[in-house]
Amino acid sequence: MDQGILLDALEAGDWTEMGAIPRASNDTRLLVLEHEGRAIKAVYKPISGERPLTDFPLETLALREVAAFRLSHALDLGVVPPTVLRDDLPAGRGSLQAYVEASDDDEAVTLSTVNAIPVDHTPIFALRTEDGRDLVLSHSVDESLRTIAFFDLLANNADRKAGHVITGSVLPSTASADIGIFGIDNGLTFHHEEKLRTVLWGFSRTSFCAEEIDALQEVAAMEEPLRAQLSDCMSAAELQALKYRANRLLAAEFFPEAPADRTVIPWPPI
């Protein structure tokens, strides 16, 4: 099954609700979709189940989930699972995202003791648990994880927790070619003010590669095909801010360092 067929299933598949996904901040449910003899799992986030926030407009989180996929897809980044907006779901209009089936591969973001930090990981910050253990959160410098960090710069992701990075497959397959690293829970994105909060600061001061510069230039140009894909999910001010971020990153030429004048790690970070 390719991603085109997967999108068709998300947009038109018959659904069966399997129940609520635990520990989610907003109403989040697991559905099984059946389409053309195939069954896939999907995560449904109804707009009606979004809790009000002080800094994001009411009833926009599902739209931001969809915008995140559309931007990732348009730039050929492949880091956000296929996501659509549907009106015919059990609690009304909401986002529907292909479920990422976690693999047994090593975690891209880990919490460990100082002596157990994986050799290919870079430490981000230390913390002390309630029982007095000192732990370090670190992440790999894998190219796939870098792509998520790059996407988050553009999307101004205010909530890239470790648990929002999953190694796995959106297809019903365990083939190594279908395994990737995905960023999920992208509802707190595209704010017009600077909001980036992430555990993926390990790429700071790294120069952008040619593919990243191409992506930045595409967003900075904001030609009509891209604008049309995003404009029904984002306000005019948010679109302008997205274009501005791309231009600012192009001028800087590298991944920025964490600013010292605001909170830059989401809470909880895991």
Side-chain angles (χ1 to χ4, degrees), residues 187-239:
L188 299 185
T189 47
F190 300 113
H191 200 285
H192 64 277
E193 298 176 355
E194 187 61 34
K195 295 281 186 181
L196 182 63
R197 291 190 291 266
T198 177
V199 297
L200 303 181
W201 287 108
F203 300 100
S204 296
R205 304 295 301 178
T206 303
S207 297
F208 292 126
C209 66
E211 292 79 9
E212 291 162 346
I213 291 173
D214 288 345
L216 291 173
Q217 290 175 336
E218 184 173 346
V219 175
M222 193 59 70
E223 295 182 355
E224 186 53 33
L226 179 59
R227 180 181 294 275
Q229 290 185 61
L230 300 176
S231 60
D232 61 341
C233 295
M234 298 165 58
S235 70
E238 289 164 347
L239 274 172

Side-chain angles (χ1 to χ4, degrees), residues 14-19 21 29-33 40-45 86 89-90 95-97 99:
D14 296 325
W15 53 267
T16 300
E17 183 175 349
M18 305 304 292
I21 294 179
R29 311 180 190 188
L30 180 66
L31 305 186
V32 171
L33 302 171
I40 67 165
K41 292 190 286 187
V43 177
Y44 166 47
K45 296 183 178 181
R86 278 185 67 165
L89 299 175
S95 63
L96 190 63
Q97 182 175 93
Y99 183 86

Side-chain angles (χ1 to χ4, degrees), residues 3 10 37 53 66 119 131 133 247 249 258:
Q3 288 208 2
L10 289 170
L53 298 171
V66 175
V119 293
D131 60 0
R133 292 185 300 151
N247 276 298
L249 291 166

Side-chain angles (χ1 to χ4, degrees), residues 3 7 64-74 80-83 151:
Q3 288 208 2
L7 277 170
R64 297 171 195 277
E65 294 270 9
V66 175
F69 166 69
R70 291 180 180 177
L71 181 63
S72 169
H73 186 66
V80 178
T83 311
F151 168 81

Side-chain angles (χ1 to χ4, degrees), residues 23-37:
R23 298 183 298 279
S25 299
N26 298 288
D27 186 357
T28 305
R29 311 180 190 188
L30 180 66
L31 305 186
V32 171
L33 302 171
E34 295 186 12
H35 185 69
E36 296 184 352

